[in-house]
Amino acid sequence: MNLLYFPSLLGFLMGLSLGYKVKFEGKLAALTLTLGILIAYSLKSYPFYNIMGLNFSFVYFSSLIGALIGTRWYKGKGRKRWSISKMQLS
Amino acid sequence: MELERNKEERLIIAGITLTIVGVLLLSTLKDVPGILNPGVSRLYNILGPRIAPNQITMVVFDWRGYDTLGECLVLVCGVLATSLIFGRGMLTSLKHHSSLSRSEFGEEVKPTPILDFFTPVIILLLIAFGIYITLGGHITPGGGFQGGSIIAAAVLLSLVVYGREKIIRWEHESRIRWETAGVLIYIGIGIAGLYHSGHFLYNIGADLYEVVGSGISYYFHYPDTTNAGVLPYLNIAVFLKVAAGLSTLFLVLLEVDER
């Protein structure tokens, strides 16, 4: 595996753990992804991280993908757990 | 009366302490020429490029890592003091609603359709940007503090638009876990350096002085083409700490008004 993918992997995991906390409507995912691709292209790749010769920020994009997947996770298990803890405290 | 009686003894102790400190300070003066020549900046310039391309990160985390740890603890103290003064019971109370989601007449205030539509999108984009800034800390201007602040800005945005606990569900216990994990990672890396080299926060990943075995160095070496070693991991530790700490601060301060 190319070591330059490591920050993208880390970014994905960090995005997942933060996106898990966000309530997000699924219909906005396409808009978010489009904006994310535009921003990642504008940011360009980091020096020393030019993967496959593409001038594209894979770290940013993978973080966004991680956050988006994390929000899906929120919809399932997370929300259930949240409502339980709310009931216990009230 | 007792204070008066001990006055002479205290003066003697103070005198001895001042003498010891004075002698130590004077003794360092004779080593100053050795410190000034070749000079700290020159030393940074010689060794710096061998560690991380971004020399500011290298100085802040590698050679002044102690200082950075202290700065993080200042933030902890700030959050603690603010919570103690303003936020009694606010952090754990789920029944409490933000003053921002209510008008001054007590009515529920809803965000405008534009804010309602774009805020979740911007929050996700901000989260990705915060992570991006953190993970590039060792090669570009940025790092954990900046990245963590951006995440806290995303939390603040959600609080301003929706009020508390509407869109970002980040419980106090979870924030404590994040902050504790950040500090423990930082101190753990520091102690690992101390154990292997005798110096707290020695960069055992970069291992510039070759005092650590290659096996240990391999595990702490950030796998990229630079020789940043543990610096990106320290950035992530600071990111965890700052993101959680500043978010807590915002949560407390935004609810002060209602009290």
Side-chain angles (χ1 to χ4, degrees), chain B residues 115-184:
Chain B
L115 284 177
D116 198 22
F117 185 80
F118 281 108
T119 304
V121 177
I122 292 171
I123 284 173
L124 276 202
L125 294 175
L126 273 176
I127 285 173
F129 190 63
I131 296 166
Y132 165 83
I133 291 288
T134 305
L135 292 177
H138 62 295
I139 41 177
T140 58
F145 212 101
Q146 292 84 341
S149 307
I150 292 167
I151 300 297
V155 173
L156 180 63
L157 179 68
S158 84
L159 287 170
V160 168
V161 175
Y162 292 102
R164 197 179 175 192
E165 291 156 9
K166 286 277 173 65
I167 188 161
I168 292 189
R169 177 185 47 78
W170 199 357
E171 305 99 321
H172 184 55
E173 288 76 17
S174 170
R175 289 197 304 273
I176 290 173
R177 277 197 292 273
W178 276 55
E179 199 156 358
T180 312
V183 174
L184 284 179

Side-chain angles (χ1 to χ4, degrees), chain B residues 236-255:
Chain B
I236 291 170
V238 173
F239 165 82
L240 295 173
K241 219 213 73 54
V242 171
L246 281 182
S247 303
T248 309
L249 208 59
F250 288 147
L251 271 167
V252 171
L253 288 177
L254 282 170
E255 298 211 4

